[in-house]
Amino acid sequence: MQVSDKDKALLALLSENARMPVAELARRLDLSRSTVQARLERLDAQGVIAGYALRLSDAYQSGLIRAHVMITIAPKALSQVTGELNAIREVTALYSVNGPYDLIAIVAAPSISELDRLIDRIGELSGVERTLSSIILSTRIAR
């Protein structure tokens, strides 16, 4: 996939606000509206843009307690555990990693007590051998 510097600038603007009108994108990039529209269509067709996602406000997120839950799983339990974690709506992201843990789940709950119950629930899943959790205190950089 070839991505030019202007394409990267376009993607950066969209990462800030995926709902920004094409006319505004064009103005900020100093390009014509039709050029920006063509770039968007090309990036979409090439699979560079896979979709547009909802980004929650800082005000809403500040009311949630978020944590990283590092998870060690039993051999051959990856697909089962992944499926069960996918069914838990409070799991907002799941990463496969190397090292002493197999997965890192990012979770969010409205209170410490609900976060505690959520972490216990994850630890009780069949195939989960061990968990280690760290509460996220603040976000320093989010792109």
Side-chain angles (χ1 to χ4, degrees):
M1 295 179 204
Q2 261 191 328
V3 180
S4 70
D5 288 340
K6 282 288 187 183
D7 292 337
K8 290 176 186 174
L10 174 58
L11 294 171
L13 287 173
L14 288 172
S15 71
E16 291 174 21
N17 180 3
R19 296 178 61 186
M20 191 177 296
V22 173
E24 178 66 15
L25 292 168
R27 186 186 67 73
R28 289 193 182 192
L29 295 170
D30 197 29
L31 296 171
S32 72
R33 187 183 185 290
S34 59
T35 299
V36 170
Q37 187 64 48
R39 284 176 183 269
L40 285 171
E41 290 170 4
R42 180 178 49 78
L43 291 168
D44 189 40
Q46 290 178 339
V48 173
I49 297 175
Y52 298 88
L54 173 67
R55 194 168 111 194
L56 300 172
S57 72
D58 292 338
Y60 176 79
Q61 285 191 357
S62 69
L64 297 175
I65 313 291
R66 295 177 301 135
H68 292 169
V69 181
M70 284 72 77
I71 304 166
T72 300
I73 58 174
K76 300 184 182 181
L78 178 62
S79 62
Q80 175 190 337
V81 171
T82 298
E84 291 183 33
L85 290 169
N86 187 46
I88 301 173
R89 67 177 174 78
E90 295 89 354
V91 175
T92 61
L94 183 64
Y95 303 97
S96 287
V97 295
N98 68 333
Y101 296 93
D102 302 300
L103 300 169
I104 297 177
I106 309 300
V107 300
S111 68
I112 291 290
S113 61
E114 289 188 44
L115 180 65
D116 187 39
R117 281 192 291 276
L118 174 61
I119 293 168
D120 287 346
R121 181 177 169 195
I122 291 170
E124 292 169 355
L125 293 175
S126 178
V128 171
E129 293 183 342
R130 184 175 70 235
T131 65
L132 176 68
S133 305
S134 294
I135 292 176
I136 299 170
L137 300 175
S138 68
T139 301
R140 302 297 175 119
I141 298 172
R143 294 190 174 116

